[in-house]
Amino acid sequence: MRLNIYLTGVGGQGLVTFATVLGDAAIRAGYKALVAETHGLSQRGGSVDVHVRIGDIDAPLIPRGGADVIVAFEIIEAFRAVDYANEDTVFIVNRRLIRPPMIKQKIPSINELENLLRKNIRKLYVVDAYSDAAKLGNIIYENTIILGALYSILRLNQYIPQGVIEESIKMNLRRDIDKNLRAFTIGLKYGNAK
Amino acid sequence: MSNCIIRLMLGNHAIAHGAMEAGIAVAAGYPGTPSSEIIEYLLDNGREFGVYAEWSSNEKVAYEVAYGAALAGARSIVTMKHVGLNVAMDPLMSSAYTGVKGGFVIITADDPGMWSSQNEQDNRWVGLHAYIPVFEPYDPQNAKDLVKLALEFSERHGHPVMMRTVTRVSHVRGPVTVCSPEKPRYSEGYVKEPRRHALVPANARTLKGELLRRWSTIEEDVEDAPHVYIDGNKNLIITSGVAFTYALEAVKNYGVKASILNVVTPVPLPRKVITDAVTRADKVIVIEEGDPVLEQQLKALLYDEDIRVPIMGKMENLFNRVGELTINSVMDGLTKALGIVNPLTSIKTISIDYSPPQRPPVFCPGCPHAASFYELKVSTARSGARPVFSGDIGCYSLGINNPFNEQDLLTNMGSSLGLGMGIYHGTNGKTLVIPIIGDSTFFHTGLPALVNAVYNKTPMLILILDNRVTAMTGGQPNPTSMISIENIAKAVGVDYVRTIDPFDTKKAQDTITEAMSVVKGGGVAVIIMRRGCALEATRLNRGHVARYYVDANACRACGICYNLIACPAIVPLENRKAWIDPNMCVGCSVCAQVCPYNAIKPEGNVKEWLGKWAEM
Ligand code: SF4
Ligand code: SF4
């Protein structure tokens, strides 16, 4: 088994925590996992990507065109990730737009961006994690909702039992565990609908 | 080994834990990406086991602290990023002469690709230069194993050992077997040995001979390091460090037929191990991260041994010499060398006809530096001055970006003052120079430069942006929490010293304007702009944060707030009016002060919140 998961988003969105929960769950389930973060100026606002590789792997970085799944925490960043995609790559895109500050160029609306993705990507799942999280009371649950979506869409239960990933959430998030577990369950619904 | 468990661990945490398993007593470092998490881990987890760890004021001091401990016989490590090692070069070169008593490992994290650095620098050269052996790990588990081995090796030879990591080892998380720490090995007491420890010329001359003798036993001993040889083919790939993992992927998954030799010690080379492997090969391909350090030495070695096989690597431009290796670049080189097809190039990638806008890193919402740069810009523009902004290393380096453009030079830690003085004198006093330096950088190497400015009577306006932490690397503490920068500046003879809050925009502008006139009169002026890092302030005060919002009726869409302070929380709407994202705003109040139409209003108890923030 070899799974290449490419995460992309904006500094401050918690990609590293997400990747840690996922990687730790994979190891708890008996697989090898490598998580490589590229953060430059370590704080926020810039584009960030994290490579998560699970299974029969040695090197930390995913080859170009080699992602099995691309998870975009922000919709503009989904476009930047296409280098890592091939025709079969599953895209999971959070319906959220974070405007780059100080950009003179006009930015398409979120609907325009979504349509552009739909036109070009076969296996596209758009998730509404931001509003789901707001409904749950705090946007910090956005990540865990996306994790649930990833888990169900990729049918990761073949490799990582749900109990194991929940265990990893408990160990790595530490705060607001109950809400986070709820958020994970909310995310699971995205695996059923296309 | 019964109480060991496998955990997903960051490479740097694995290194720190490995050092604890090897019984280190003392650890010192200066933060710098990608090395910072080693000392952080030891501060969090080492104390309960009796490990002494500290953030030192710079790398040279850190080096001396750990080196001194090792001279006394304790086991110790020192950590820093690649360029940090330059600051420590002075004691480093001497430490090879004196040797050490306790195990002493210098951990230096290189940053190929310059994700967060001013240059790429391969510190394996330093090992060659200084007669210090270099160990190079390839993944987090290997890094943990090697730090233990390096400490033992160092103690066995009474000699410092360097461990060189790269971003893709230090900042990778992988499975690591974690065991209980050993009791820290402190020294029983320092034994005076002036003939060895005091490097006056007569002693140093004797020690150089000893050093060379030690070096030849080290050369023999590295033969027994855990080099990996995977036999399979007449093509031989020789790697060190993370390059090994790419070679493995190439052989296992992408149809490359080759043997692999991974060398644990690129300095000095294990000559026998290498010649054994090479004599079985028709062709040698060297893959390494950074410069062709392995390749150059290998070519010299094979010349000595009279072995002639084709050797290819970075010197033949088979692999990229700028930036870090990737599996794509490694496969490009390998397939070229072996004359086979690269399966990675036949993957059907996709493209979409929309190029997303760049997203350069920006100051965080509520960053006090953004306010300082705004105020500096306004006051210098108003007075018609055209100063040279001499920047420095830290979060505030981002002042180089739009809309501030206030870093004209920026080369290394503490350079803002020194280069500024050079520009002042080089232009025969015709330039108004404004060095901009952070609190940690000031204590790092700004301090001696400030002394020089006063001593050599060089007029400058020095802005010290004191946000109470070393923020760029993640908020490590530094002397600013204990030692008054004001008193230091006064003590070294600066007459004009002022402290202002960058969140008080009016006062900040007035003070900068006043200080510029002091400088024009030939004086040195120091302004300390003090306000805690926004990230730290909100982290420490969850639940107290107040916010601001834009009153849409009052906003006249002038754009001043979003164009001049560039807070990421302020978003221009389609109608060019401003909107503040409530999930991002941290209530610093700067936009409200800047808005000429009073359209930005507080929400929550702003006074109390800003008061709490000011306590940092
Ligand atoms: S108060 Fe204004 S400048 Fe400060 S963080 Fe909020 S939106 Fe940004
Ligand atoms: S500065 Fe004031 S008036 Fe101008 S865009 Fe911002 S909120 Fe609106």
Side-chain angles (χ1 to χ4, degrees), chain B residues 550 555-562 578 595-597 599-600:
Chain B
V550 178
C555 174
R556 308 250 191 111
C558 69
I560 288 177
C561 59
Y562 49 81
C595 172
Y597 304 107
I600 302 182

Side-chain angles (χ1 to χ4, degrees), chain B residues 40 44 116 119 149 158 164 173 217 327 333 335 350 353 374 387 466 475 477 529 540 580 588 613 616:
Chain B
E40 273 176 3
D44 287 347
S116 186
N119 63 35
L149 227 81
R164 181 237 192 185
R173 281 164 222 267
T217 58
I327 186 66
T335 48
I350 59 167
D353 193 20
Y374 164 76
D466 180 3
M529 308 192 78
L540 295 173
I580 292 179
C588 75
W613 190 339
M616 274 175 78

Side-chain angles (χ1 to χ4, degrees), chain B residues 364-367 503 534 546-550 561 565-570 579-581 584-592 600 613:
Chain B
C364 304
C367 175
F503 288 175
R547 297 175 206 298
Y548 282 79
Y549 71 97
V550 178
C561 59
I565 53 176
C567 171
I570 311 178
W579 175 73
I580 292 179
D581 183 340
M584 289 174 91
C585 173
V586 297
C588 75
S589 83
V590 172
C591 59
I600 302 182
W613 190 339

Side-chain angles (χ1 to χ4, degrees), chain B residues 348-535:
Chain B
K348 285 216 172 61
T349 51
I350 59 167
S351 65
I352 303 181
D353 193 20
Y354 167 70
S355 36
Q358 284 306 307
R359 201 188 279 282
V362 288
F363 289 119
C364 304
C367 175
H369 297 330
S372 297
F373 279 112
Y374 164 76
E375 290 145 5
L376 179 59
K377 183 142 205 166
V378 173
S379 26
T380 50
R382 275 200 191 133
S383 67
R386 309 195 76 244
V388 168
F389 298 111
S390 188
D392 221 305
I393 309 283
C395 280
Y396 50 94
S397 301
L398 289 172
I400 197 171
N401 292 333
N402 273 328
F404 308 112
N405 306 308
E406 283 168 287
Q407 308 267 305
D408 297 315
L409 327 76
L410 196 174
T411 61
N412 56 276
M413 291 290 286
S415 66
S416 57
L417 280 87
L419 290 181
M421 289 185 263
I423 285 174
Y424 176 82
H425 291 297
T427 56
N428 202 12
K430 285 201 212 68
T431 318
L432 170 62
V433 179
I434 304 187
I436 303 156
I437 188 167
D439 44 296
S440 186
T441 313
F442 174 74
F443 284 109
H444 181 277
T445 29
L447 195 41
L450 178 63
V451 170
N452 190 62
V454 175
Y455 169 60
N456 283 311
K457 300 199 178 55
T458 309
M460 291 193 299
L461 164 54
I462 299 152
L463 293 188
I464 303 176
L465 307 187
D466 180 3
N467 65 356
R468 322 303 290 143
V469 289
T470 310
M472 181 161 165
T473 43
Q476 293 81 10
N478 73 57
T480 192
S481 56
M482 297 277 289
I483 298 168
S484 153
I485 301 176
E486 289 84 340
N487 288 349
I488 291 176
K490 283 181 196 145
V492 303
V494 181
D495 291 327
Y496 187 93
V497 180
R498 297 287 183 278
T499 307
I500 51 179
D501 178 358
F503 288 175
D504 185 347
T505 59
K506 169 88 176 54
K507 182 159 175 227
Q509 290 171 37
D510 292 347
T511 312
I512 294 170
T513 310
E514 181 182 77
M516 280 193 293
S517 63
V518 171
V519 175
K520 279 182 201 136
V524 176
V526 168
I527 298 180
I528 298 138
M529 308 192 78
R530 179 169 294 137
R531 184 47 90 153
C533 166
L535 281 185

Side-chain angles (χ1 to χ4, degrees), chain B residues 266-320:
Chain B
V267 178
L269 289 188
R271 298 172 72 98
K272 246 184 64 51
V273 169
I274 289 180
T275 38
D276 281 357
V278 171
T279 41
R280 278 183 257 168
D282 290 342
K283 187 181 260 183
V284 176
I285 302 167
V286 184
I287 317 179
E288 56 194 313
E289 191 76 282
D291 292 333
V293 175
L294 199 58
E295 187 183 353
Q296 285 199 8
Q297 294 182 82
L298 179 68
K299 285 174 175 166
L301 163 66
L302 297 188
Y303 184 90
D304 283 352
E305 301 290 330
D306 210 5
I307 302 171
R308 292 202 59 86
V309 285
I311 298 172
M312 285 167 287
K314 293 206 168 190
M315 295 172 84
E316 293 70 31
N317 292 317
L318 200 55
F319 305 101
N320 45 314

Side-chain angles (χ1 to χ4, degrees), chain A residues 35 42-43 58 77 130, chain B residues 173 249 252 359 471-472 583:
Chain A
V35 175
S42 56
Q43 310 295 349
D58 293 290
E77 295 308 310
Y130 191 73
Chain B
R173 281 164 222 267
E249 292 246 340
K252 281 197 204 162
R359 201 188 279 282
M472 181 161 165
N583 295 308

Side-chain angles (χ1 to χ4, degrees), chain B residues 247-259:
Chain B
L248 275 177
E249 292 246 340
V251 168
K252 281 197 204 162
N253 302 317
Y254 301 123
V256 170
K257 294 201 164 44
S259 305

